[in-house]
Amino acid sequence: QVQVWDNRGNASGWSLPAHWEMGLLQPADWKTRWITPDLAEDPQESNPAPMLRRTFTVKGSVARARLYATAMGLYQLELNGRRVGADCLAPGWTAYDFRFQYQTYDVTDQVRPGENCLGALLGDGWFRGRLSWTRHRNSYGEKLALLAQLVITYADGSSEVVGSDEKWKAATGPILASDLYMGETYDARLERPGWSQPGYDDREWRGVTILPPPAARLTASAPSVRRIEEIKPVRLLKTPAGDTVLDMGQNMVGWLRFQVTAPAGTTITLRHAEVLDKAGNLYTENLRGADQTIRYTARGGGPETFEPHFTFQGFRYVAISGWPGEPALGAFTGVVVHSALAPAGAFSCSDPLINQLQHNIVWGQKGNFVDIPTDCPQRDERLGWTGDTQVFARTACFNFDCATFYTKWLADLALDQQDDGAVPHVSPDVIAHRERKGHSAAAGWADAAVVVPWTVYLSYGDRRILERQYPSMKAWVEYMRRAAGDRYLWNTGDTFGDWLAFATIDPGYPGATTDKDLIQTAYFAHSTDLLGETARVLGRQGDAADYAELSAKIRAAFLKEFVTPNGRLASNTQTAYALALAFDLLPESLRPRAAERLAADVRKFKHLTTGFLGTPVLCKVLSDTGHLDEAYLLLNRKEYPSWLYPVTQGATTIWERWDGQKPDGTFQDKGMNSFNHYAYGAIGEWLYRVVAGIDLDPEQPAYKHILIQPRPGGGLTSAEASLRTMYGRVASSWELKDGRMVLQVEIPANTSATVRLPHAQPGQVTESGQPLRTAPGISAVRQADDAVSAELGSGSYTFAYPLGGKPS
Ligand code: BGC
């Protein structure tokens, strides 16, 4: 339990108690063996999901019982007929060649003296189900397996272990096929009532085979995927093509639960899609080879409720066929699943369209935080694309507490890295794994190895993430150093460039308008800088000096190769200017001119022209260089291309492409057109950091020293954000009213803040009605340009002042 004292001597109450316990740290802590069911299977196809069971006797009164489990494939456990835990898609996806996560369940209340039974259902999942656009099966192996260990501690202090061993029996049952992409086929007539209870007759069941232990390590689990919330469908439509379609009102990830009364043998089919086409029909072409289809055959005789086991769908619309009679809305519930992370931040403002954008960003994150950070959750992809999360990580850490989620993913990324330091395009790296060959590394994608740990460190302040990732971060920068050679220009290998940029020269290669070697060298400099900073934080002085020197050489090379003496860049694109300014690649003397060129380009087009790499930094660069109006122009634009165009089209998540659905209602290329792709949602951090004005100080990370610096503009009359930081809640909320600015700020105990009040004069600012200079908790009031800055201790503050001229 925790209690805090603030700078005014006030004590808080006690927090609720939290607890932790040790996991199984050593291989020798596992007393049980991996088992695989003795079932005949066809490795080329989805096979019926195995059911496994074992009975055991509890000999006395139980003080505590813990069940530890993992699988090759996915598992669901039952104990005496009841589900164990609330995890979905366990054990989650890791680089299975190197490590499996295990989950720990407190089952003290589920075991009972006498006969007990443990049951397990196994599914294909990432281990052997279809993966990537190739839809190959068996990426990691052909056989499903279970490792489970139940540790019973009796009241007298003695203990006993039961778990996976040769005593288990195996059979198949109602799950005829289940695949992450394809969906699930379930025949309820094949259910085996009582299968995970003692006394069930399993004489017909087959046995299991003990597997030699894999080389992979076992590691404790990051927060699992859970059922996080439920939503009800908003309407039922009949499409022109004659389909009966359910509209969930939200593009969501998870599945549908339904209740039906139907004669035995009735098969109900659910086909999931993100969008309807122009004519109003279900549109599934953008799902490519992912069928996302549920087939349920009724057992008959009463209301039966179903939800799938080892699959998930990305969808807003569901076409229902085979339903007896007219389906009623009330029969369906959308079960939203994602990694169980604590919500951390909230943002809203006076513009409902921007609020919908924030909503869409958050839902893009939910749907793509299903155990790993994915590009998209619907088509035959759903992979841990490094570039997508590299640009989104800072936004992600505003919306949810992502510390453990990224810590887990980064461990796999490091394991997937090649000996030469090349970082895969996706992690877990199922592509190189499958092809059993090396991969090239791409600028802005591979840099996730450096940017994501640095972002986690900045957001949560735990140096261990830097310590642990340091070899991986360094190997990546050294890879670029070798590839760049003594010219310090990195221009080799395959790279995606400014992927999906608005304007492209070559339609076959989106993102080609900004020279790729300019982007590569810019990222080379950026990662080198962050690595140098990391070395400094970790006290590795030699490395810090080395990378500072390398960085200076890359900058000099960049300048010589890509910048004219007057500050014009070789690629005259928004992305080129934005990256050069964001990564500080230009000498001070050229920055204003380069920034002016960028701003002029924005004014000329009246819209962004950027892709995956330019977009995330564009507004920040503009607002940092005195071009706030241009940044708001981009944010406020409602026509294509812009963030709000999809919002005006009714989007409830972030689209992969600026024109996923065009103004005339037709769709972008079906080969790559996801309606739930968080990359462009990276504007989220600008909403928090600049519009509402909550930022951190890299010298005192994790909001130990908070920067409150809102930048009203763009016609907004108010904005507010809050964030649960490691120290407590931070909030910033401003309103413009009757020519006055009112800013409310909350600063948690054990932190300090610098607040910047735009367009203010020191003599005119009050805090809670008192003149600023004499208000309690405030020190060092300064006038800086057109703003007043002040230092704050913890507490709640309300600043008010007349606006000195500017924003409307
Ligand atoms: C994915 C991405 C990814 C890109 C790489 C796409 O298929 O969906 O978002 O970053 O490929 O270029």
Side-chain angles (χ1 to χ4, degrees):
Q1 281 178 277
V2 184
Q3 183 178 27
V4 293
W5 288 264
D6 71 10
N7 50 335
R8 297 166 205 201
N10 306 315
S12 75
W14 283 100
S15 71
L16 290 173
H19 78 279
W20 55 276
E21 66 182 55
M22 299 303 288
L24 304 181
L25 302 184
Q26 308 297 336
D29 294 338
W30 288 88
K31 311 291 181 205
T32 56
R33 319 274 298 272
W34 285 92
I35 54 173
T36 187
D38 295 335
L39 299 169
E41 293 185 322
D42 175 354
Q44 301 317 319
E45 293 298 326
S46 290
N47 292 280
M51 306 169 83
L52 284 78
R53 58 177 260 115
R54 182 202 199 276
T55 52
F56 60 95
T57 310
V58 170
K59 297 181 204 82
S61 118
V62 174
R64 60 175 236 157
R66 293 288 182 273
L67 180 52
Y68 305 90
T70 186
M72 297 181 189
L74 302 176
Y75 73 85
Q76 281 186 8
L77 294 176
E78 295 192 9
L79 186 48
N80 298 326
R82 260 176 55 210
R83 210 25 221 283
V84 172
D87 294 341
C88 304
L89 307 174
W93 193 8
T94 46
Y96 292 138
D97 292 325
F98 303 100
R99 56 185 212 132
F100 288 90
Q101 297 191 120
Y102 67 87
Q103 285 73 32
T104 305
Y105 305 99
D106 180 352
V107 291
T108 313
D109 294 339
Q110 255 172 291
V111 290
R112 55 191 183 216
E115 279 298 279
N116 287 257
C117 179
L118 255 179
L121 282 179
L122 299 182
D124 293 354
W126 298 283
F127 189 84
R128 74 166 193 188
R130 293 182 197 280
L131 272 188
S132 94
W133 51 90
T134 61
R135 294 188 301 287
H136 275 301
R137 288 178 44 80
N138 308 318
S139 297
Y140 297 93
E142 288 186 359
K143 291 227 152 278
L144 299 179
L146 173 73
L147 180 68
Q149 170 159 316
L150 172 63
V151 181
I152 303 167
T153 308
Y154 289 108
D156 67 4
S158 64
S159 70
E160 189 177 357
V161 175
V162 240
S164 42
D165 59 15
E166 69 293 340
K167 299 208 178 90
W168 286 63
K169 304 289 281 292
T172 59
I175 304 175
L176 297 179
S178 194
D179 181 276
L180 294 172
Y181 295 166
M182 307 310 274
E184 192 162 300
T185 302
Y186 188 95
D187 188 339
R189 294 170 302 179
L190 302 177
E191 282 172 353
R192 296 174 176 277
W195 71 278
S196 65
Q197 305 210 28
Y200 174 86
D201 180 0
D202 62 10
R203 277 172 302 178
E204 306 275 280
W205 286 38
R206 315 292 290 265
V208 298
T209 299
I210 306 275
L211 290 182
R217 283 184 291 117
L218 294 168
T219 179
S221 181
S224 313
V225 175
R226 297 261 172 103
R227 297 172 179 80
I228 305 292
E229 59 194 294
E230 299 194 341
I231 58 179
K232 292 305 264 183
V234 293
R235 58 189 178 133
L236 195 65
L237 4 135
K238 276 267 183 271
T239 67
D243 284 329
T244 302
V245 171
L246 214 52
D247 177 1
M248 303 306 293
Q250 171 65 50
N251 193 3
M252 58 165 279
V253 173
W255 49 75
L256 214 54
R257 185 174 65 230
F258 61 84
Q259 198 183 59
V260 65
T261 302
T266 311
T267 296
I268 292 155
T269 304
L270 307 177
R271 290 184 303 127
H272 301 71
E274 291 186 290
V275 285
L276 301 179
D277 68 14
K278 203 171 157 180
N281 290 314
L282 198 74
Y283 181 75
T284 55
E285 283 176 39
N286 68 323
L287 305 175
R288 305 191 309 213
D291 284 353
Q292 297 211 120
T293 300
I294 302 293
R295 290 183 189 83
Y296 178 80
T297 302
R299 105 179 63 88
E304 25 194 307
T305 302
F306 179 73
E307 61 182 278
H309 301 76
F310 299 119
T311 182
F312 65 90
Q313 287 77 49
F315 65 102
R316 170 170 170 174
Y317 300 97
V318 188
I320 305 164
S321 59
W323 195 270
E326 230 0 63
L329 278 187
F332 303 91
T333 303
V335 181
V336 177
V337 307
H338 56 87
S339 289
L341 310 179
F347 170 89
S348 63
C349 68
S350 53
D351 184 340
L353 293 182
I354 296 172
N355 294 342
Q356 181 69 36
L357 173 65
Q358 167 66 14
H359 168 101
N360 295 0
I361 296 169
V362 171
W363 277 85
Q365 181 167 357
K366 290 179 183 184
N368 286 293
F369 271 47
V370 179
D371 208 62
I372 62 156
T374 55
D375 55 337
C376 60
Q378 74 297 80
R379 69 182 178 219
D380 49 5
E381 197 142 347
R382 313 184 189 186
L383 302 176
W385 278 97
T386 46
D388 303 47
T389 216
Q390 184 270 120
V391 298
F392 188 69
R394 187 70 185 270
T395 299
C397 295
F398 274 109
N399 292 326
F400 288 89
D401 177 350
C402 299
T404 46
F405 178 82
Y406 277 134
T407 299
K408 172 219 171 220
W409 183 71
L410 286 167
D412 294 305
L413 178 135
L415 290 166
D416 280 334
Q417 213 167 346
Q418 283 175 194
D419 292 346
D420 64 359
V423 177
H425 298 332
V426 298
S427 182
D429 188 3
V430 66
I431 295 167
H433 175 97
R434 167 96 221 164
E435 292 167 5
R436 305 236 174 268
K437 64 168 204 227
H439 44 71
S440 65
W445 271 252
D447 298 278
V450 174
V451 175
V452 179
W454 181 251
T455 304
V456 172
Y457 166 71
L458 287 183
S459 304
Y460 307 105
D462 188 345
R463 283 168 31 146
R464 288 176 305 174
I465 188 73
L466 298 182
E467 270 154 21
R468 206 194 59 186
Q469 295 301 126
Y470 193 74
S472 153
M473 299 166 83
K474 186 168 169 169
W476 168 237
V477 170
E478 290 300 330
Y479 172 97
M480 290 188 281
R481 188 193 322 230
R482 271 194 312 279
D486 53 13
R487 293 180 62 222
Y488 300 98
L489 296 170
W490 174 32
N491 56 13
T492 55
D494 268 346
T495 197
F496 301 113
D498 190 25
W499 187 250
L500 299 184
F502 164 74
T504 62
I505 292 167
D506 173 2
Y509 213 110
T513 45
T514 303
D515 283 336
K516 291 195 192 153
D517 56 347
L518 182 152
I519 293 175
Q520 286 177 281
T521 301
Y523 262 98
F524 178 23
H526 183 48
S527 279
T528 301
D529 286 344
L530 296 184
L531 178 62
E533 278 299 290
T534 302
R536 196 172 61 84
V537 169
L538 297 180
R540 296 170 181 260
Q541 303 310 345
D543 276 6
D546 180 28
Y547 291 114
E549 195 186 316
L550 175 60
S551 160
K553 287 181 174 150
I554 304 168
R555 279 190 166 65
F558 185 90
L559 203 61
K560 202 165 140 212
E561 187 78 9
F562 301 116
V563 190
T564 70
N566 281 333
R568 187 189 287 259
L569 291 183
S571 288
N572 189 38
T573 63
Q574 292 176 10
T575 290
Y577 287 100
L579 290 179
L581 288 159
F583 298 165
D584 206 5
L585 303 179
L586 305 175
E588 216 34 60
S589 59
L590 294 184
R591 280 181 66 86
R593 270 190 260 178
E596 180 44 45
R597 279 184 191 284
L598 171 63
D601 195 82
V602 169
R603 290 193 296 268
K604 181 176 91 189
F605 281 103
K606 297 192 175 52
H607 62 70
L608 49 73
T609 62
T610 49
F612 271 33
L613 298 183
T615 306
V617 292
L618 185 57
C619 283
K620 187 69 168 56
V621 163
L622 287 166
S623 58
D624 281 353
T625 56
H627 301 289
L628 185 66
D629 290 347
E630 285 81 356
Y632 272 113
L633 178 157
L634 296 177
L635 177 67
N636 278 332
R637 182 183 164 95
K638 291 167 195 65
E639 302 76 30
Y640 160 77
S642 68
W643 287 283
L644 293 185
Y645 167 68
V647 172
T648 66
Q649 302 299 300
T652 57
T653 39
I654 300 292
W655 296 354
E656 176 175 27
R657 311 185 74 133
W658 295 119
D659 56 349
Q661 185 159 21
K662 300 180 187 186
D664 69 5
T666 59
F667 292 114
Q668 251 286 4
D669 177 8
K670 63 176 192 260
M672 216 174 56
N673 195 20
S674 145
F675 290 93
N676 195 355
H677 232 75
Y678 57 50
Y680 287 148
I683 185 65
E685 67 170 280
W686 193 76
L687 301 178
Y688 282 97
R689 296 172 72 184
V690 179
V691 178
I694 297 180
D695 211 344
L696 53 78
D697 173 358
E699 292 300 322
Q700 296 183 58
Y703 303 89
K704 174 77 178 159
H705 178 224
I706 301 155
L707 308 177
I708 300 286
Q709 39 197 26
R711 305 284 304 274
L716 295 181
T717 53
S718 68
E720 61 181 283
S722 64
L723 182 65
R724 270 185 39 187
T725 71
M726 300 306 280
Y727 297 95
R729 186 171 188 270
V730 176
S732 169
S733 157
W734 59 261
E735 192 180 9
L736 304 179
K737 214 171 160 192
D738 306 328
R740 289 176 69 76
M741 165 96 168
V742 179
L743 172 67
Q744 288 180 295
V745 172
E746 236 179 273
I747 305 299
N750 296 306
T751 67
S752 64
T754 303
V755 63
R756 187 179 173 284
L757 305 165
H759 313 299
Q761 298 292 323
Q764 298 184 324
V765 182
T766 59
E767 192 289 298
S768 300
Q770 297 196 42
L772 183 60
R773 289 192 195 278
T774 57
I778 295 179
S779 60
V781 175
R782 270 184 239 104
Q783 170 94 51
D785 300 327
D786 181 26
V788 167
S789 81
E791 304 300 318
L792 316 182
S794 63
S796 298
Y797 302 86
T798 302
F799 303 95
Y801 56 95
L803 278 175
K806 249 221 150 173
S808 49

